[in-house]
Amino acid sequence: MSAHALQCTSKADLVEQLTERSRSTLFQEPSDAERRSWLNSLPALADVLCDAGLHEIEVLIEYRMPLSSLRADAVLVGTHPETGMPSFVVVELKQWSEAHLVPDTRDLCLIPGAGYRSSLHPVAQVRRYCDYLEDFTALLNDSQNHVVGLAYLHNAQDRDVSELLQLNDGKAHIFTSTSRGELMRHLQNQLSPLDGALEADALLDSPITPGQQLMQMAADEILYGGNFRLMDEQQVAASLVKRAVSISRRSDTKEVIVVSGGPGSGKSLIALHLMSYLGRNRRNVIHATGSKSFTTTLRHVVGQKNERVAKLFRYFLDFRNIERNDLDVLICDEAHRIRHHSRTQGALSTHRSGRSQVEELIDAARVPVFLLDENQVVRPDEMGSVQEIDRAAKARGCVVRHVDLNEQFRCGGSRAYEHWVRRLLGLESGGPVPWEPEPNFDLLLADTPQAMESYLHSRQAAGSTARMTAGFCWPWSDPRSDGSLVDDVVIGEWRRPWNVKGEREVRGAPRSSLWATEKAGIGQIGCIYTAQGFEYAWNGVILGKDLVWAGDGWRMNPTACKDSSLRHASPDHFEHLTRNRYKVLLTRGLTGTVLYSDDARTQALLRTLIPGSIPPS
């Protein structure tokens, strides 16, 4: 809407319109903080724009960043007063009345009244939004177009945020109620008073330039510093780690950093950035996971350029005998896969250290960092959770700092789709809801597994990555004597093999750890253990008969599950792990997901929820 229209809209109507949009696109109610921001901050912005004579520029409210779930509070769109070219101003609105820098940092703030939770400096935040828009929006790749950012702390005066005022640069500026006049002049220098509707339409219709995939960039990030750009809480997490490292050698108390986030929220992005930064600053840092596929893939990628660097990627069980605080930093990625105890296959219980695995990991480094998604615990012996890490850390006298990525960011994919999956599986209350199509993500239902496979092959042939996965409801055979794979996944006349077991070489199929990243992986069905931790553009999921819809809710069928690790799980534990497993499988896709159920009743439910379908091939 135009600045004038925004000013003339009553506060109640504005909040109601934005609330309805949140319900329809995200399947959730906006938070109280969001409502307060709409109620107080947007009118303050509208008044500044109109007082500056910019009545006709377009104001895009809650503008969604391409290929993410990040939203800028507003993007102002018009033409530049000097060049006449399209001009864009990204705006971050803050209701803060007081703020201070976190000691020993330049880009983290403490806000009284918010429990002194660390927040990213608003200038650093809006500068990243500008860069991100330019990186991922085809229209803005043209350097003639003008993109700047600003943060407006309309409730604050300069004296109450004085520590924050030193971070201004040519790309982003900060303004308060004290500098309202300067803000008006700044806006007049960026935007002419002409109507900005055409430029706004061009921005909204601009093609999206996809970001580079994590694994393809990993080697450059680790070896050469890379180009990963951390956003919002991602940068908060990284800055907290850097701060903890800088003071670790002069502090008697060590800090544990716990970063929680769902699929695609950037946990591994943070890990790789820290590996690069700390390595270049001569800090002793190691990356560890509990996932053989994930660690092997990282070793493979970076090892192609430097075999020595690959040794920095380890497993959780490798730290049983390390000296206390031997490392500066231990980055525990996929920390939901922490086991109760470290034990190699066949090791006797007497060889254990006497400590739990999480205690071993905390003891190993001056700054232990845990990155996890509690809804990705998929095995009975996995116990990685925020609560368990907190308990072990506090028992050792450590300070624990938390960062939650869940409501901030998704690197590709769709936050709305993730909510849809959680509602579908009963991980959020309210029951399954129909999918509302959105422009950045496709959800389709296949009538047959043949149709799913054909469609995914067409996506990969068009240049996208595509994989098929399934619930663990079919046996998993060893290869035949001639090296060929057995077609274990059988649905009617359609049959395909699981991915290769382990790291053996099989003709025409990648080893297990490379199934998600090698093109030939599309020829096999991935299971939970090979898919977890990876993402690809197109994701096909076959729901097995271990999870079936019975008309009024989900029913678990343990007899349909062929995973021996769940054989002795209690009914409640089996149900919890099964929902988590399907949540992991269903959220691997960045561009789209295709579903099919082997159970007729479940397929019928999906047909009522998913409007788009792929007919039989």
Side-chain angles (χ1 to χ4, degrees), residues 522-542:
I522 196 173
Q524 311 92 48
I525 309 301
C527 71
I528 181 63
Y529 301 119
T530 43
Q532 188 175 28
F534 296 96
E535 293 177 325
Y536 18 84
W538 280 92
N539 178 31
V541 184
I542 298 173

Side-chain angles (χ1 to χ4, degrees), residues 3-48:
H4 178 69
L6 177 60
Q7 187 183 48
C8 292
T9 302
S10 72
K11 292 183 178 181
D13 287 346
L14 181 63
V15 171
E16 182 55 37
Q17 290 174 27
L18 294 171
T19 297
E20 185 55 40
R21 195 166 104 187
S22 178
R23 290 169 180 157
S24 63
T25 59
L26 296 178
F27 304 111
Q28 65 178 5
E29 291 291 318
S31 67
D32 290 341
E34 286 177 305
R35 292 177 186 270
R36 286 194 299 271
S37 178
W38 299 336
L39 189 66
N40 300 319
S41 298
L42 288 174
L45 174 63
D47 288 345
V48 167

